Amino acid sequence: MTLNEDDIVQCFAHLFRDSSRGMTGIGDDAAVLPSINDEHYVISKDLLVENIHFRLSYFDPEGLAHKALHANLSDIAAMGARPAFLLLGLAIPPTLDHIWVRRFSEALANECHRQKVGLIGGDTTASLHDLFISITVVGRAPRATLKYRTGAESGDVVCVVGELGEAYCGFKLLEGKQAGFKEIKAKSLCPMALVQEGLWLGGRSEVKAMMDISDGLFVDFGRLAEKSGVGGVIDLNSLKPSPHLKAACSLLNIEPVECVLVGGEDYALLFAVAANDVELVSREFESVFSYKPNQIGFINAGQGIRLMQNGVDVPWTYKAFSHFGEN
Amino acid sequence: MTLNEDDIVQCFAHLFRDSSRGMTGIGDDAAVLPSINDEHYVISKDLLVENIHFRLSYFDPEGLAHKALHANLSDIAAMGARPAFLLLGLAIPPTLDHIWVRRFSEALANECHRQKVGLIGGDTTASLHDLFISITVVGRAPRATLKYRTGAESGDVVCVVGELGEAYCGFKLLEGKQAGFKEIKAKSLCPMALVQEGLWLGGRSEVKAMMDISDGLFVDFGRLAEKSGVGGVIDLNSLKPSPHLKAACSLLNIEPVECVLVGGEDYALLFAVAANDVELVSREFESVFSYKPNQIGFINAGQGIRLMQNGVDVPWTYKAFSHFGEN
């Protein structure tokens, strides 16, 4: 049985009422964003498609709502902005029933509430085959604290906050139906956007460029470098896979360093800081978050990303991260 | 063959560059909206799902891009706002190739350009079965000119601008593989959002409530009335199906008035004006657009929508408009 649109609208209506954070235009043709003096809105949109980005067999509705939300919050955090509003698009296949949709939407609304994000609109419809989740997220920030991919300069130190490679490894464990490794699987199933870290880094004028790592360190560092018109170097000695990750990689017969370099969906943050500022920023970051950014390399005047170890170039052919159905 | 994400990103990159209208943050984690004094942003999000909202057999990529865009522009126009920015989400099934995607995205970018709408971001991915199109559109308007579904009061006259029923009839002709009736089919295949009309009506303080009619006059009038806490009456004598529509309905064995009442996807505008103001607004509207709003009924203190003809209640059981896969 396919879902009746009005039933779903009803199901969402009270969620919107509860989480609209005083906005007008909710349930109207379009939501109205409050005007903000001296701040800018930032906006981002992501798609999650069943059997491309996720399998329903791995997720209960609450888990999928969490993942869909955090993947999007990460984009706003990566701009140094505060997530503020969210619009949800959901195309629902005949295999999912009202209970599933209600659980998903309630979990999404609850997590939005916890994150102080207003759920202000969207669209639901039927789908013939696959579940399709489209989220638009709006954030806000003073102009001066917005961080772009541009701005990195030769000599800058490049840092990462957040774990790398574990989400990818967790995904491989799930695909291989491997038992155990609950913590690593959780990195794939239940990622946490680094919203507070992104905001804090946004507020630091020393941070010259920032992005989130959703497609793997190697690829995303390459994107930041390209946007900034520079090259970059990753110091392989700086990438220290955890014992957990090493154990899982050993079982999967993957090089841990490959996991760290190409694994996607970590939602870690990558940023560039002038070499003179990096110790100060790291120290103050640690005093707030109780862990240090990891200095994974530096920017140079070249093109593309090179790998080095003990001061020597490491040739390496990598295979970029892809979801089940891509590439 | 599924599409490589980077190829698609490349394909979009120059379109974004050309149509970003001076925004920053394009191709970054999120796009940045310029701050606007004394204006508000409005935001709306729509999904179009293959074989639920459209069939690829009816549309070339340019036609589908046009329809997807105008369905969304209509939501902004219905708020009395000016469409300003657009984000596109596209999940592409293996049946569509690079050429299709390029034609679709170029047509979308061209029509955005024509409509002075900046294409500022989005996401593309693979899909296993169906094509999904998710559009987020951002508009802007001074607070005073925004129109909501609330605000209609007992005694107000209710008007429509735009044709009703023809898109639905065109859709039925296509589904029935009927030859001819090119003009009516075009109303389904190539709808035009009434952007200028919406803006003009937004600027009229006499217009107390407004929305677009995407799910049929009866259903959408009911929504406006409910949001305003009032009831409404449709005068069947005011609904004058065109000779074209009558001829097509006769072939399809549908009552023309049913087409007009329940047919969706017209993207006409529905609005309420105090009875004292309706002649003035109509006259001035006509002087700009060379046609008059159609006065289709009025607001009363009741609940729900009633049908009347020659001053007498007309009992009627209607079946709401639905797409192929819904209800």
Side-chain angles (χ1 to χ4, degrees):
Chain A
M1 190 199 75
T2 53
L3 292 167
N4 178 300
E5 189 174 335
D6 277 336
D7 291 342
I8 298 174
V9 169
Q10 283 304 321
C11 164
F12 278 96
H14 78 276
L15 298 176
F16 284 153
R17 259 198 306 279
D18 291 347
S19 68
S20 58
R21 309 191 75 77
M23 303 260 302
T24 53
I26 307 299
D28 218 298
D29 293 284
V32 179
L33 303 182
S35 71
I36 41 176
N37 290 332
D38 308 321
E39 288 202 33
H40 289 269
Y41 283 115
V42 300
I43 187 167
S44 171
K45 183 183 178 83
D46 251 6
L47 302 179
L48 287 170
V49 183
E50 183 182 349
N51 292 324
I52 300 290
H53 301 100
F54 63 87
R55 296 195 198 283
L56 283 172
S57 53
Y58 300 161
F59 288 96
D60 59 19
E62 291 80 9
L64 191 57
H66 176 97
K67 177 155 180 166
L69 178 60
H70 278 264
N72 280 275
L73 294 181
S74 182
D75 282 322
I76 300 301
M79 299 296 291
R82 186 183 301 281
F85 303 111
L86 186 134
L87 294 93
L88 172 67
L90 211 52
I92 303 156
T95 43
L96 297 177
D97 62 10
H98 281 86
I99 295 168
W100 193 98
V101 174
R102 192 179 326 123
R103 285 176 59 187
F104 178 91
S105 51
E106 284 181 358
L108 189 84
N110 287 342
E111 185 63 13
C112 280
H113 186 74
R114 231 174 60 84
Q115 298 282 342
K116 300 190 170 59
V117 167
L119 187 55
I120 59 170
D123 193 16
T124 54
T125 176
S127 161
L128 277 197
H129 301 97
D130 300 313
L131 173 65
F132 175 86
I133 304 167
S134 167
I135 287 182
T136 300
V137 61
V138 175
R140 52 195 288 177
R143 163 71 72 181
T145 71
L146 284 172
K147 300 299 179 195
Y148 299 89
R149 297 180 183 187
T150 53
E153 290 173 292
S154 181
D156 289 352
V157 175
V158 173
C159 300
V160 167
V161 298
E163 301 291 333
L164 293 178
E166 303 206 342
Y168 177 68
C169 187
F171 162 72
K172 287 284 180 194
L173 290 167
L174 289 163
E175 286 287 282
K177 302 196 195 314
Q178 303 283 356
F181 296 103
K182 212 168 157 183
E183 276 178 41
I184 292 196
K185 288 177 187 165
K187 294 290 168 69
S188 172
L189 296 174
C190 191
M192 296 295 293
L194 302 177
V195 173
Q196 294 308 319
E197 287 87 337
L199 265 174
W200 189 91
L201 291 164
R204 298 300 305 217
S205 59
E206 298 92 341
V207 174
K208 295 158 79 172
M210 182 159 68
M211 71 180 295
D212 74 336
I213 303 178
S214 52
D215 290 334
L217 172 62
F218 191 89
V219 167
D220 284 329
F221 187 7
R223 288 172 178 155
L224 184 140
E226 193 192 345
K227 281 274 179 186
S228 291
V230 293
V233 171
I234 297 174
D235 174 8
L236 295 185
N237 288 337
S238 74
L239 309 177
K240 298 188 180 67
S242 68
H244 266 89
L245 182 62
K246 280 185 187 164
C249 282
S250 159
L251 183 75
L252 291 165
N253 203 20
I254 315 175
E255 276 297 315
V257 75
E258 190 178 326
C259 250
V260 171
L261 285 169
V262 307
E265 305 202 319
D266 287 312
Y267 306 115
L269 295 172
L270 179 75
F271 61 95
V273 192
N276 283 340
D277 295 325
V278 71
E279 285 313 318
L280 173 70
V281 170
S282 288
R283 208 166 47 237
E284 298 191 359
F285 183 95
E286 189 183 15
S287 74
V288 176
F289 296 104
S290 305
Y291 68 97
K292 271 198 166 177
N294 187 15
Q295 300 179 24
I296 59 96
F298 58 90
I299 301 288
N300 65 19
Q303 260 200 331
I305 304 301
R306 284 161 48 208
L307 306 181
M308 292 190 81
Q309 192 154 32
N310 305 323
V312 181
D313 267 317
V314 178
W316 187 60
T317 50
Y318 74 96
K319 196 184 166 307
F321 171 76
S322 73
H323 293 100
F324 329 110
E326 294 183 317
N327 294 340
Chain B
M1 190 200 73
T2 54
L3 291 168
N4 177 299
E5 190 174 336
D6 277 337
D7 290 345
I8 299 173
V9 169
Q10 282 305 322
C11 164
F12 277 96
H14 80 275
L15 299 175
F16 284 155
R17 260 197 305 281
D18 291 348
S19 67
S20 59
R21 310 190 77 77
M23 303 259 301
T24 53
I26 307 301
D28 218 300
D29 293 284
V32 179
L33 304 182
S35 71
I36 42 178
N37 291 331
D38 307 321
E39 289 202 30
H40 288 268
Y41 283 114
V42 300
I43 186 166
S44 171
K45 182 183 179 84
D46 252 6
L47 299 180
L48 287 169
V49 183
E50 183 182 348
N51 292 323
I52 299 289
H53 302 101
F54 63 87
R55 296 196 198 282
L56 283 172
S57 53
Y58 299 161
F59 288 96
D60 59 18
E62 290 80 9
L64 191 57
H66 177 98
K67 178 156 180 165
L69 178 61
H70 278 263
N72 279 275
L73 294 181
S74 181
D75 282 322
I76 301 300
M79 299 296 291
R82 184 183 301 281
F85 302 110
L86 187 133
L87 293 91
L88 171 67
L90 212 52
I92 304 157
T95 44
L96 298 177
D97 62 10
H98 281 88
I99 295 166
W100 193 98
V101 174
R102 192 179 325 124
R103 284 176 60 187
F104 178 91
S105 51
E106 284 181 358
L108 189 84
N110 288 341
E111 186 63 12
C112 279
H113 185 75
R114 231 175 60 84
Q115 298 282 342
K116 299 190 172 59
V117 168
L119 187 53
I120 59 169
D123 192 16
T124 54
T125 178
S127 161
L128 277 196
H129 301 96
D130 300 313
L131 174 64
F132 291 89
I133 305 167
S134 166
I135 287 181
T136 301
V137 61
V138 176
R140 51 194 289 175
R143 162 72 68 181
T145 71
L146 284 172
K147 300 299 179 197
Y148 299 89
R149 296 179 184 187
T150 53
E153 291 173 291
S154 181
D156 289 351
V157 175
V158 174
C159 300
V160 167
V161 298
E163 302 291 333
L164 292 179
E166 303 206 341
Y168 176 69
C169 187
F171 162 73
K172 288 282 182 197
L173 290 166
L174 288 164
E175 287 285 284
K177 301 196 194 314
Q178 303 282 357
F181 296 102
K182 211 169 155 180
E183 276 177 41
I184 292 196
K185 289 177 188 165
K187 294 289 168 70
S188 171
L189 295 175
C190 191
M192 296 296 293
L194 301 177
V195 174
Q196 294 308 318
E197 287 86 339
L199 265 175
W200 189 91
L201 291 163
R204 297 301 304 218
S205 59
E206 298 92 341
V207 174
K208 295 160 76 172
M210 181 159 70
M211 70 181 295
D212 73 336
I213 304 179
S214 52
D215 290 334
L217 172 62
F218 191 88
V219 167
D220 283 329
F221 187 5
R223 288 173 178 157
L224 184 139
E226 193 192 345
K227 280 272 178 188
S228 291
V230 294
V233 171
I234 297 173
D235 174 8
L236 294 184
N237 288 337
S238 73
L239 308 178
K240 298 189 180 69
S242 68
H244 267 88
L245 182 63
K246 281 185 185 160
C249 282
S250 158
L251 184 74
L252 291 165
N253 203 21
I254 314 176
E255 277 297 315
V257 76
E258 189 178 327
C259 252
V260 170
L261 285 169
V262 307
E265 303 203 319
D266 287 312
Y267 306 114
L269 295 171
L270 179 76
F271 60 95
V273 192
N276 283 340
D277 296 324
V278 70
E279 285 313 320
L280 173 70
V281 171
S282 288
R283 208 166 48 239
E284 298 192 359
F285 182 96
E286 188 183 18
S287 75
V288 176
F289 296 103
S290 305
Y291 69 96
K292 271 196 168 179
N294 187 16
Q295 299 178 26
I296 59 96
F298 58 91
I299 301 288
N300 65 19
Q303 261 200 330
I305 304 301
R306 285 161 48 210
L307 305 181
M308 292 191 82
Q309 194 154 33
N310 306 321
V312 181
D313 268 315
V314 177
W316 187 61
T317 49
Y318 74 95
K319 192 183 167 312
F321 169 76
S322 71
H323 293 101
F324 329 108
E326 295 181 315
N327 295 338

